[in-house]
Amino acid sequence: QALKTHVHTLVTRFRPRGNLDVVNLNAAANHIRGQFQALGLSPTEQTFQTDGETYRNVVARLGNHGGPLLVVGAHYDTCMGNPGADDNASGVAGLLELARLLVKHPPACDVELVAWTLEEPPHFQTPNMGSAHHANMLRANGVTVRVAVSLEMIGYFSDAPGSQKAPLPWLTPLIPSQGNFIGVVGDLGQGGVTRAVKRAMRAASPLRVVSVNAPRWVPGVDFSDHRNYWALGWPAVMITDSANNRNPHYHQQTDLPETLDYVRMGQVVAGVFEAVHVLAGR
């Protein structure tokens, strides 16, 4: 129910949230900051300018252990004027509920929860992405990232045969044909991290979890904020329902709250919560 409330709030009160909708983006950032504060956290903001406007990442830190930092984030902007229930109000809702769980059950390492801005076009794959600014700030401050986790569309599921597509035809035999699983996507050479996240998520709920480590040229593998942590040599994974490979409402006006499965979304959050503790070393 909490996930559903978060998604409905973002979609109905702060729409649209494209790069030109700065008033709505600022209102959404204020809302997210208020949600962190209501949990007893002390969020900060990272601001940056592009195209003559100021944009904001909202950051909440847990722990004071020192050592490598675990980053978990989700982008709160949407593609142009789309409502963006799955893309990516679902990820932000998951981030807020993860924060609630981690406040009650603190991990054994420092965790930074980040609501990134400007993930979507026209700034996607450019230095203007909020996550690029965040990653570069950490590097400039001498921070080492243990793992970065991007929550990128975690709410759309389907049990219908043929509801899941592969990004390339030759991958079809390796991908389940039903879109009733959550994916953990990692870079080549980072299989250990990807498998650890998958094992933890599988242990937390009955939800099917599938992982893949693939080259970045495979369509979709680097289509989110984790790419900017890879760029600095840090391990990172994307937690995703696979976007346009499953969800017919991707980047459409029909990406609405009633299309999401909040029970399985909750299982994703439970899995990420478990993965955070595993990655933190308990």
Side-chain angles (χ1 to χ4, degrees), residues 86 90-91 153-157 182 241 247 259-262 265:
D86 195 23
S90 67
M153 302 181 63
I154 62 170
Y156 189 87
F157 297 88
I182 195 71
D241 61 23
N247 190 340
T259 65
L260 304 188
D261 183 330
Y262 296 97
M265 263 183 76

Side-chain angles (χ1 to χ4, degrees), residues 10 139 155 163 171 205 208 238-239:
L10 287 166
R139 171 59 59 85
S163 55
L171 289 173
S205 86
R208 188 177 188 184
M238 172 175 60
I239 311 297

Side-chain angles (χ1 to χ4, degrees), residues 60-212:
R61 177 74 73 96
L62 294 91
N64 190 26
H65 303 276
L69 180 69
L70 181 58
V71 175
V72 186
H75 71 88
Y76 65 90
D77 62 312
T78 65
C79 183
M80 306 306 176
N82 296 325
D86 195 23
D87 187 16
N88 189 33
S90 67
V92 176
L95 185 71
L96 294 174
E97 282 304 287
L98 178 66
R100 182 178 62 82
L101 294 172
L102 292 176
V103 166
K104 291 182 178 180
H105 307 281
C109 78
D110 294 346
V111 175
E112 200 151 276
L113 304 175
V114 192
W116 297 298
T117 190
L118 296 192
E119 188 270 354
E120 296 284 5
H123 297 294
F124 179 60
Q125 295 183 328
T126 78
N128 295 325
M129 292 177 70
S131 52
H133 283 276
H134 180 254
N136 289 329
M137 178 188 69
L138 294 179
R139 171 59 59 85
N141 290 339
V143 176
T144 298
V145 172
R146 180 185 299 252
V147 183
V149 179
S150 172
L151 305 180
E152 176 62 57
M153 302 181 63
I154 62 170
Y156 189 87
F157 297 88
S158 176
D159 295 311
S163 55
Q164 181 68 45
K165 304 296 188 293
L168 293 171
W170 59 269
L171 289 173
T172 299
L174 305 177
I175 304 293
S177 62
Q178 293 173 286
N180 56 7
F181 63 90
I182 195 71
V184 183
V185 179
D187 199 6
L188 285 179
Q190 296 181 5
V193 170
T194 306
R195 287 190 295 271
V197 172
K198 177 174 68 175
R199 285 193 299 267
M201 294 185 70
R202 283 180 170 177
S205 86
L207 180 65
R208 188 177 188 184
V209 184
V210 174
S211 70
V212 61

Side-chain angles (χ1 to χ4, degrees), residues 261-273:
D261 183 330
Y262 296 97
V263 172
R264 284 191 268 205
M265 263 183 76
Q267 293 172 338
V268 174
V269 176
V272 175
F273 171 72

Side-chain angles (χ1 to χ4, degrees), residues 1-11 31 35 93 96-97:
Q1 184 60 47
L3 290 167
K4 187 174 183 179
T5 298
H6 289 312
V7 170
H8 273 268
T9 298
L10 287 166
V11 170
H31 172 75
Q35 293 295 304
L96 294 174
E97 282 304 287

